Amino acid sequence: MQDRNHKSSRRKYIILLSIAVVLLGGYLGIRYFLASGAVEKRLTSELQNLVSKGSRGLYHLEIGKLKVDPDNINVSLYNLKLKYDTTVYQQMVENKTAPEHLFDISLEKVVFERITPASFITDKRIILTTVQIFKGSLSADRLLHDFHRKIPAKDTTVITDTSAAALDLYALLSNDVKEIRIDTILATGLDLVYHAAGKKERKTELKNLDFLLEDLEINEFSGADSTRFLYSKSMAVRLKDFTLPFSDNQYNLSLDTMNLMISGGETFTDIRNLNLISPLGETEFTNRNKSQLERFDLRFPYVVLKNFSYQQLLSEGILQADSAGIKDAKIRIFKDRSQPADGKSKVGQYPHQLLKKADMLVRIPLLSFTNTSVEYREKSEVTLETGAVSFTRINATVSNIYNSEEDIVIHPTMVLRARALFMGAATVDATFRFFNNKTGGRFEVDGDFGAFDATIINKASVPLGLVEIKSGRVNDLSFRLRGNNYSASTSVHLVYD
């Protein structure tokens, strides 16, 4: 019996040893295979074929160097470039199968972590934990042709292209790749250039972008998943230190950071320190323009947008969001009345009229301001002194911000409701109504002030009108103003001591 047990145990040891030898040999074989130059050449060829076939010959992939790390099972691509073939594109245009966008991509380094090259080569499945992209540029040109049609999808951040050219991405790849699944895609230091051709050409340049995509799936089901954006369950984009000079370098539009989050079919945007500031001081600004042109200084520390449609802004020039919120804003305006008038007509210069004249389509149902301050300063042409009127602690909402005729039919009146402190002392409630559906610039304003010491007005009345109030108290002040391009009428109710 003991001899039989001994033989049985020895047999088990031999079997286990044999399995260990096979596993070790397999591991060493795989390691040798991964470390060899053959797998790198094969992977490079497969990736290039995939891009060429998937784009029907439109794009070509160039890889400066491909390196496999057998210890960590990582694949790194260096100096990766995606270029389009202009000859093929022209043929697609003639056949009415050209895509709406053309891309030119150049990346310094791309790392695929925990990849198994054999699974891609043999099974045509790409399953990864992480893809990291380090520095590069992405240029996109939107070239519309008559055969392109666009239908807005339910998610306003997405435009569904129903042209023959815009086939489902999976349909393009399915002959060569069964499935692509990536847990995380992280990119840092990317520059984006977006050029939209059309009646009004638009070019947008963004520098030093970071973005994160999570739970990306490209298969036969993911394209119809309404909870995904760019085939991902969630997406985050971060823009840092953006500055754009404009208006003949009289102003700089800048922001410290902009964070975009897309998840569950909704888009949230957080902007910090969005500023519109002139690099010119008040005197320098006035001397350059030699007129009574207002100088603005706008500072918005916190801006939040819900469901802001970036794609429509870039491609169509449409400013659209479900809502916008601004907190702790500071708005300063300066005007020098001692300078010559600009001679321009003031007709058509009310806020709702300027909105209708804007180059872009605007669709924002609700805009809110929290703890905002507004200061208007004016230099008198008589006294050459500067007076100021200020409103602080402003909490306000603006509803129905639209400028297209079809939207105005549904939302005819833009309404601003605000509560604030006048000159840091008197509470004021005001309602402004701007009638977009009426010609002639019609508007209405109703305002009510709480009690205040009348001497607070001296900050404006003395330098601007040489009028000083020695003492007095306003117990109640309300007014009603009705106006248009050519006339205005007002009624005032004043109770004072």
Side-chain angles (χ1 to χ4, degrees), residues 163-183:
S163 68
L167 298 177
D168 180 77
L169 179 58
Y170 177 73
L172 290 172
L173 300 176
S174 58
N175 290 332
D176 300 282
V177 177
K178 292 181 180 179
E179 182 182 31
I180 298 176
R181 280 196 287 123
I182 304 173
D183 292 341

Side-chain angles (χ1 to χ4, degrees), residues 52 55-60 83-95 97-99 102:
S52 181
S55 64
R56 300 169 184 167
L58 178 60
Y59 288 100
H60 301 285
K83 303 289 184 181
Y84 58 86
D85 189 314
T86 56
T87 301
V88 175
Y89 176 74
Q90 289 301 324
Q91 292 174 350
M92 288 182 167
V93 172
E94 294 173 3
N95 297 330
T97 60
L102 284 177

Side-chain angles (χ1 to χ4, degrees), residues 263-426:
S263 181
E266 291 192 315
T267 304
F268 299 92
T269 305
D270 176 276
I271 302 174
R272 297 299 174 94
N273 293 321
L274 175 65
N275 299 325
L276 178 66
I277 301 173
S278 175
L280 308 176
E282 291 176 348
T283 302
E284 186 180 0
F285 184 92
T286 300
N287 291 338
R288 173 181 287 193
N289 290 282
K290 300 185 184 306
S291 71
Q292 297 179 12
L293 182 67
E294 293 89 349
R295 177 186 181 273
F296 293 89
D297 188 302
L298 312 180
R299 301 170 190 258
F300 304 122
Y302 304 97
V303 180
V304 177
L305 304 170
K306 183 178 180 182
N307 289 337
F308 178 39
S309 178
Y310 290 88
Q311 185 169 354
Q312 289 196 352
L313 178 64
L314 291 173
S315 60
E316 303 288 341
I318 299 175
L319 183 61
Q320 177 170 315
D322 286 355
S323 64
I326 299 173
K327 181 181 178 182
D328 297 339
K330 290 180 172 57
I331 300 172
R332 295 184 176 90
I333 306 167
F334 173 76
K335 186 168 187 172
D336 190 344
R337 290 281 188 183
S338 67
Q339 296 293 321
D342 57 18
K344 297 180 181 179
S345 172
K346 303 302 180 184
V347 174
Q349 299 300 305
Y350 292 131
H352 56 314
Q353 294 176 307
L354 294 175
L355 180 63
K356 292 184 74 172
K357 295 176 183 178
D359 289 336
M360 64 173 55
L361 194 67
V362 180
R363 289 173 176 158
I364 302 177
L366 182 65
L367 169 63
S368 63
F369 292 89
T370 304
N371 193 35
T372 293
S373 65
V374 176
E375 181 185 61
Y376 175 78
R377 298 171 61 249
E378 183 175 296
K379 184 176 180 179
S380 169
E381 62 181 323
V382 177
T383 67
L384 299 182
E385 298 293 331
T386 299
V389 176
S390 65
F391 294 88
T392 56
R393 300 184 188 178
I394 300 171
N395 294 312
T397 60
V398 186
S399 58
N400 299 333
I401 307 174
Y402 300 98
N403 62 357
S404 73
E405 294 299 335
E406 60 184 63
D407 289 328
I408 289 172
V409 170
I410 304 172
H411 311 282
T413 307
M414 182 170 67
V415 181
L416 185 156
R417 293 182 174 89
R419 165 165 281 195
L421 276 182
F422 171 63
M423 306 297 277

Side-chain angles (χ1 to χ4, degrees), residues 1-267:
M1 178 67 69
Q2 291 180 350
D3 184 58
R4 184 180 302 172
N5 289 338
H6 179 70
K7 290 182 178 179
S8 176
S9 297
R10 205 167 85 180
R11 188 180 300 113
K12 291 179 181 178
Y13 292 144
I14 294 173
I15 293 172
L16 290 174
L17 182 60
S18 299
I19 293 173
V21 170
V22 171
L23 291 175
L24 179 60
Y27 169 75
L28 292 175
I30 292 174
R31 226 174 122 26
Y32 174 78
F33 175 71
L34 291 175
S36 68
V39 69
E40 295 175 353
K41 292 180 181 178
R42 180 72 182 275
L43 269 176
T44 299
S45 177
E46 288 287 347
L47 288 172
Q48 290 173 332
N49 288 336
L50 173 64
V51 169
S52 181
K53 289 181 180 180
S55 64
R56 300 169 184 167
L58 178 60
Y59 288 100
H60 301 285
L61 179 65
E62 300 176 10
I63 301 174
K65 181 181 178 182
L66 187 149
K67 183 179 179 181
V68 177
D69 180 354
D71 293 322
N72 298 306
I73 320 180
N74 295 345
V75 174
S76 299
L77 307 180
Y78 297 88
N79 297 323
L80 183 147
K81 295 181 180 181
L82 183 70
K83 303 289 184 181
Y84 58 86
D85 189 314
T86 56
T87 301
V88 175
Y89 176 74
Q90 289 301 324
Q91 292 174 350
M92 288 182 167
V93 172
E94 294 173 3
N95 297 330
K96 297 184 178 181
T97 60
E100 188 173 312
H101 289 87
L102 284 177
F103 298 94
D104 190 314
I105 301 173
S106 179
L107 304 174
E108 287 188 14
K109 182 181 178 181
V110 182
V111 179
F112 301 90
E113 296 184 0
R114 310 301 298 174
I115 186 174
T116 305
S119 67
F120 170 58
I121 294 173
T122 60
D123 197 33
K124 301 302 181 182
R125 294 182 186 274
I126 300 176
I127 301 175
L128 306 170
T129 56
T130 305
V131 176
Q132 295 189 65
I133 302 171
F134 301 91
K135 293 185 179 181
S137 62
L138 188 154
S139 176
D141 289 283
R142 185 171 187 250
L143 305 170
L144 285 177
H145 298 279
D146 293 338
F147 52 83
H148 287 132
R149 293 190 302 113
K150 301 178 295 306
I151 299 176
K154 291 182 180 179
D155 179 3
T156 57
T157 63
V158 179
I159 295 294
T160 302
D161 190 344
T162 60
S163 68
L167 298 177
D168 180 77
L169 179 58
Y170 177 73
L172 290 172
L173 300 176
S174 58
N175 290 332
D176 300 282
V177 177
K178 292 181 180 179
E179 182 182 31
I180 298 176
R181 280 196 287 123
I182 304 173
D183 292 341
T184 303
I185 300 177
L186 176 63
T188 58
L190 293 184
D191 296 339
L192 170 68
V193 178
Y194 188 94
H195 174 254
K199 292 181 179 179
K200 294 183 179 179
E201 291 198 10
R202 288 174 293 276
K203 186 176 181 180
T204 304
E205 295 187 45
L206 301 175
K207 301 288 186 180
N208 200 24
L209 279 172
D210 299 336
F211 73 82
L212 172 70
L213 295 175
E214 294 183 317
D215 191 10
L216 180 141
E217 286 189 7
I218 301 176
N219 53 39
E220 59 182 316
F221 305 109
S222 59
D225 188 345
S226 61
T227 66
R228 292 182 177 274
F229 179 78
L230 296 179
Y231 294 92
S232 300
K233 277 291 185 180
S234 66
M235 174 181 176
V237 179
R238 183 179 178 87
L239 173 64
K240 298 174 290 187
D241 302 325
F242 172 77
T243 301
L244 176 66
F246 67 98
S247 188
D248 196 23
N249 291 317
Q250 293 197 108
Y251 287 98
N252 287 327
L253 177 67
S254 65
L255 60 85
D256 284 353
T257 61
M258 181 181 72
N259 296 303
L260 159 69
M261 181 68 187
I262 300 175
S263 181
E266 291 192 315
T267 304

